[in-house]
């Protein structure tokens, strides 16, 4: 813990949220949540995906309005209705995608002074020289050395983050919300960020720190709040709970949900990955998959799962490492190379990459197999229809007709189409990247059944997910990903939700 946290009193709060309730389409997202911040405090906000922390912070930042509750700033009631209102009150947000908050073709000085320039409305012109002087002073006060005449487009992610912070500091921010700020940063860049965070603390700024990285919480936060299922389940000084106890608070109870598992006989290694690297997201990943085996790669958002999936599917090129199939090193320049080698993929963004939304169910299913159902470059309607009917029946795809455009199907049935198009392709490995994203519970159960059947048929399955319980439920082996590296590989018999969450949050084997 960075500093000793003092017991909070009503008088010490800069900001209070009391009994905050929010529903979307009648479904509760927040249930009477209390949350408070003191000046000069780094307050970590933790919770599994869907716990409600992002909704709470979007209300604080003015992006959402709450249904019930009270918000106080310096003891006075406030109800801001937009991010602009929140900023005027001194409440700012630094998102992981900092580019969205900066103007890349403007200089550092212009970006730091952007709000002042916009506020002048032409009535109080600020000269370029004065812009540069003020920007230099603010950056120097944060001990940041970035030439103010450089264009933002030429900066690193870390430098852009510092520019945005300088702009916020200039506006005398009372509260700053940091949403996964270290996810895109290298180790040295993260150190720079935490130095700035410490400076903000000394200035008296209240900082909310949303992260999945528990070691950072233990080292740099003063106070921690844990959310689960739209409620606050714990709030207190960081030193009051161990990392393992925080994990238990996030989970709530031991994992007990049963997933359908079809016994499968394991065969030879069909895929081996050694030292796979790409930029800052993937930092040397080793994996092996056998025929008949489901290997679940689980990690929290930003851990590098999708980047791994895209490299294995041939969509992106790795910077280093090797991909081997059948003992032969493979080089994929495009997805067609991976498909030809025997790797097919069901991507996370199914509507953009997995299916053709305007085409029919029938045509989507037949696309990978056009050579089989065509003769002299003409598609056989009978063969295409027969293929589609087999897949629709096998997967239980609910559609009024095979001719119906896939855009009219539910999310779960769209996902079944994205899976079904590969069922009769001669593939050794099937990659699933967040396959249950946006599907209902019934379709989710169907997808697990289908994946189990694929493994039973001798396919090697690589299942990448941020839903840790799914990984535990479906995997024969669970590889836990943290910060672009495999933190632990756990056989199903040894894996627990507590262990998975521990390693996914940065815990180390030697500390267990």
């Amino acid at each position: 813990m960075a500093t000793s946290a003092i017991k909070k009193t009503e008088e010490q709060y800069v900001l209070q949220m009391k009994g905050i309730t929010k529903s979307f389409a009648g479904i509760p997202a927040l249930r009477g949540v209390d949350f408070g911040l003191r000046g000069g405090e780094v307050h970590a906000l933790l919770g599994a995906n869907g716990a409600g922390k992002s909704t709470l912070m979007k209300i604080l930042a003015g992006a959402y309005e709450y249904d019930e509750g009270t918000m106080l700033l310096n003891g006075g009631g406030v109800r801001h209705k937009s991010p602009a209102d929140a900023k005027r009150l001194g409440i700012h947000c630094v998102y992981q995608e900092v580019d969205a908050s900066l103007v890349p073709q403007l200089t550092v000085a212009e970006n730091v002074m952007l709000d002042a320039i916009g506020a002048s409305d032409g009535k109080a012109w600020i000269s370029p020289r004065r812009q540069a002087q003020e920007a230099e002073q603010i950056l120097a006060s944060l001990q940041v050395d970035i030439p103010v005449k450089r264009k933002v487009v030429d900066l690193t992610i870390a430098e852009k983050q510092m520019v945005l912070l300088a702009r916020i500091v200039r506006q005398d921010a009372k509260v700053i919300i940091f949403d996964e700020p270290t996810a895109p940063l290298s180790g040295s860049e993260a150190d720079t960020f935490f130095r700035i965070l410490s400076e903000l603390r000394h200035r008296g700024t209240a900082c909310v720190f949303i992260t999945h990285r528990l070691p950072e919480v233990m080292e740099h936060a003063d106070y921690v709040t844990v959310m689960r299922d739209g409620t606050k389940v714990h709030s207190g000084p960081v030193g009051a709970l161990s990392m393992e106890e925080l994990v238990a608070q996030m989970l709530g109870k031991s994992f007990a949900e049963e997933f359908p598992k079809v016994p499968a006989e394991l065969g030879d290694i069909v895929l081996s990955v050694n030292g796979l690297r790409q930029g800052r997201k993937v930092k040397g990943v080793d994996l092996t998959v056998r025929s008949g085996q489901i290997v679940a790669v689980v990690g929290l958002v930003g851990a590098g799962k999708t980047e791994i999936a895209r490299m294995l599917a041939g969509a992106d090129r790795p910077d280093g490492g090797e991909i081997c199939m059948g003992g032969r090193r493979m080089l994929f320049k495009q997805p067609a190379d991976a498909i030809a080698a025997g790797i097919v993929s069901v991507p996370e963004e199914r509507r953009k990459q997995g299916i053709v939304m305007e085409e029919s169910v029938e045509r989507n299913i037949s696309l990978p197999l056009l050579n089989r159902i065509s003769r002299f470059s003409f598609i056989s309607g009978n063969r295409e229809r027969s293929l589609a009917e087999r897949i629709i029946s096998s997967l239980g795809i609910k559609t009024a007709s095979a001719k119906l455009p896939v855009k009219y199907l539910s999310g779960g049935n769209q996902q079944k189409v994205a899976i079904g198009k590969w069922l009769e392709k001669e593939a050794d490995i099937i990659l699933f990247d967040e396959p249950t994203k946006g599907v209902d519970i019934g379709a989710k159960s169907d997808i697990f059944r289908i994946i189990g059947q694929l493994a039973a048929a001798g396919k090697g399955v690589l299942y990448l997910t941020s839903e840790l319980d799914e990984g535990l439920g479906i995997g024969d082996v669970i590889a836990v990903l943290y910060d672009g590296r495999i933190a632990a590989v756990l056989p199903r018999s040894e894996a627990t939700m507590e262990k998975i969450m521990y390693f996914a949050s940065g815990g180390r084997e030697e500390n267990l």
Side-chain angles (χ1 to χ4, degrees), residues 358-376:
E358 299 298 325
E359 289 287 355
S360 67
V361 173
E362 181 179 87
R363 184 52 48 87
N364 270 276
I365 289 172
S366 68
L367 279 174
L369 299 166
L370 290 180
N371 61 335
R372 186 191 299 180
I373 62 173
S374 300
R375 189 173 183 184
F376 304 119

Side-chain angles (χ1 to χ4, degrees), residues 8-226:
K8 294 188 175 188
T9 66
E10 291 284 321
E11 293 75 20
Q12 292 172 329
Y13 284 112
V14 170
L15 180 134
Q16 285 179 280
M17 304 174 79
K18 295 183 175 182
I20 300 297
T21 297
K22 178 69 177 177
S23 295
F24 295 98
I27 299 173
L30 296 174
R31 309 166 191 262
V33 175
D34 295 338
F35 183 75
L37 290 169
R38 288 185 308 146
E41 172 184 85
V42 175
H43 192 134
L45 182 59
L46 305 179
N49 298 325
K53 56 188 187 298
S54 293
T55 300
L56 185 68
M57 289 301 101
K58 284 179 179 178
I59 288 172
L60 177 55
Y64 293 161
E65 286 193 69
Y66 50 91
D67 300 332
E68 297 178 21
T70 305
M71 195 180 307
L72 304 174
L73 187 65
N74 291 323
V78 293
R79 183 151 189 157
H80 43 279
K81 297 185 177 182
S82 70
D85 289 344
K87 288 179 181 179
R88 280 191 286 271
L89 293 170
I91 302 169
H92 297 260
C93 198
V94 177
Y95 295 104
Q96 191 180 136
E97 299 83 9
V98 290
D99 285 321
S101 302
L102 300 171
V103 183
Q105 296 305 321
L106 295 183
T107 65
V108 169
E110 289 166 336
N111 271 277
V112 171
M113 300 293 292
L114 196 59
D115 294 282
I117 296 168
S120 67
D121 199 26
K123 298 176 183 177
W125 180 68
I126 303 174
S127 71
R129 181 178 177 182
R130 184 181 153 201
Q131 289 177 28
Q133 288 176 339
E134 243 189 279
E136 284 177 342
Q137 290 172 0
I138 296 167
L139 289 166
S141 74
L142 297 175
Q143 301 177 48
V144 174
D145 184 19
I146 303 174
V148 296
K149 293 184 179 180
R150 284 181 67 188
K151 287 191 174 182
V152 162
V153 71
D154 299 322
L155 302 182
T156 66
I157 292 291
E159 288 172 331
K160 290 174 183 176
Q161 199 177 69
M162 296 303 108
V163 171
L164 180 57
L165 278 173
R167 187 165 97 203
I168 290 172
V169 166
R170 190 194 178 278
Q171 297 175 75
D172 193 27
K174 297 179 178 65
V175 175
I176 304 178
I177 304 162
F178 293 96
D179 188 3
E180 295 285 351
T182 61
L185 305 183
S186 67
S188 60
E189 289 170 341
D191 290 341
T192 300
F193 167 77
F194 285 118
R195 181 177 54 75
I196 301 296
L197 192 65
S198 179
E199 173 63 27
L200 292 170
R201 174 194 284 118
H202 292 315
R203 289 170 178 244
T205 307
C207 299
V208 182
F209 181 37
I210 303 174
T211 184
H212 289 301
R213 299 179 172 185
L214 294 187
E216 293 179 347
V217 172
M218 305 305 287
E219 184 174 355
H220 298 286
D222 305 303
Y223 219 79
V224 60
T225 289
V226 181

Side-chain angles (χ1 to χ4, degrees), residues 51 74 120 269 305 314 318 398 430 465 500:
N74 291 323
S120 67
I269 293 174
K305 301 179 304 301
K398 294 179 181 177
I430 303 181
T465 181
I500 292 173

Side-chain angles (χ1 to χ4, degrees), residues 210-274:
I210 303 174
T211 184
H212 289 301
R213 299 179 172 185
L214 294 187
E216 293 179 347
V217 172
M218 305 305 287
E219 184 174 355
H220 298 286
D222 305 303
Y223 219 79
V224 60
T225 289
V226 181
M227 295 188 65
R228 185 175 70 244
D229 298 329
T231 62
K232 182 180 76 173
V233 296
H234 169 78
S235 197
V238 165
L241 295 180
S242 68
M243 191 184 299
E244 292 78 8
E245 289 169 328
L246 283 175
V247 169
Q249 289 288 343
M250 284 189 276
L251 294 176
K253 56 183 179 180
S254 60
F255 178 73
E257 184 179 356
E258 293 184 2
F259 288 76
K261 282 289 291 179
V262 179
E265 185 177 339
L266 301 189
D268 296 333
I269 293 174
V270 289
L271 173 70
S272 62
V273 177
N274 303 295

Side-chain angles (χ1 to χ4, degrees), residues 217-478:
V217 172
M218 305 305 287
E219 184 174 355
H220 298 286
D222 305 303
Y223 219 79
V224 60
T225 289
V226 181
M227 295 188 65
R228 185 175 70 244
D229 298 329
T231 62
K232 182 180 76 173
V233 296
H234 169 78
S235 197
V238 165
L241 295 180
S242 68
M243 191 184 299
E244 292 78 8
E245 289 169 328
L246 283 175
V247 169
Q249 289 288 343
M250 284 189 276
L251 294 176
K253 56 183 179 180
S254 60
F255 178 73
E257 184 179 356
E258 293 184 2
F259 288 76
K261 282 289 291 179
V262 179
E265 185 177 339
L266 301 189
D268 296 333
I269 293 174
V270 289
L271 173 70
S272 62
V273 177
N274 303 295
L276 197 66
R277 293 183 290 103
Q278 185 191 66
R280 295 171 178 168
K281 286 286 190 177
V282 183
K283 304 173 182 178
V285 166
D286 299 334
L287 286 169
T288 59
V289 183
R290 295 180 177 275
S291 63
Q293 185 179 51
I294 301 174
V295 176
V297 178
V298 302
L300 300 171
V301 174
K305 301 179 304 301
T306 294
E307 288 77 12
I308 293 170
R310 286 181 60 82
M311 283 187 281
L312 294 179
D316 294 330
R317 297 281 294 274
D319 296 333
E322 60 181 19
I323 301 169
C324 297
M325 298 183 69
R328 292 174 47 238
R329 184 171 180 176
M330 312 304 293
L331 178 61
F332 302 145
K333 295 182 179 179
Q334 56 187 343
D337 296 337
I339 294 169
I343 299 180
V344 297
S345 172
V346 179
E348 178 179 9
E349 297 296 334
R350 61 173 174 270
R351 298 185 182 206
K352 295 179 181 178
Q353 302 163 356
I355 49 180
V356 184
M357 295 292 287
E358 299 298 325
E359 289 287 355
S360 67
V361 173
E362 181 179 87
R363 184 52 48 87
N364 270 276
I365 289 172
S366 68
L367 279 174
L369 299 166
L370 290 180
N371 61 335
R372 186 191 299 180
I373 62 173
S374 300
R375 189 173 183 184
F376 304 119
S377 299
F378 290 96
I379 298 173
S380 166
N382 288 336
R383 290 180 182 177
E384 184 176 40
R385 184 165 53 256
S386 176
L387 168 66
E389 287 174 354
R390 284 199 305 274
I391 299 302
I392 289 170
S393 175
S394 172
L395 301 189
I397 297 171
K398 294 179 181 177
T399 177
S401 165
K403 299 290 187 183
L404 188 71
V406 76
K407 66 181 179 182
Y408 294 121
L409 271 58
S410 69
N413 284 294
Q414 288 176 359
Q415 188 71 311
K416 289 181 186 179
V417 173
I419 297 170
K421 72 180 188 179
W422 298 122
L423 290 190
E424 296 197 15
K425 190 76 175 173
E426 294 179 358
D428 298 312
I429 293 287
I430 303 181
L431 306 178
F432 292 89
D433 186 11
E434 301 286 2
T436 62
K437 180 179 178 181
V439 307
D440 62 48
I441 192 68
K444 183 182 291 190
S445 179
D446 288 343
I447 289 168
F448 294 146
R449 174 182 55 80
I450 293 163
I451 291 173
Q453 290 172 347
L454 289 168
K459 305 293 185 183
V461 176
L462 199 58
Y463 187 100
L464 300 102
T465 181
S466 59
E467 302 294 338
L468 308 189
D469 56 347
E470 289 185 11
L472 175 58
I474 202 167
D476 298 306
V477 172
I478 296 91

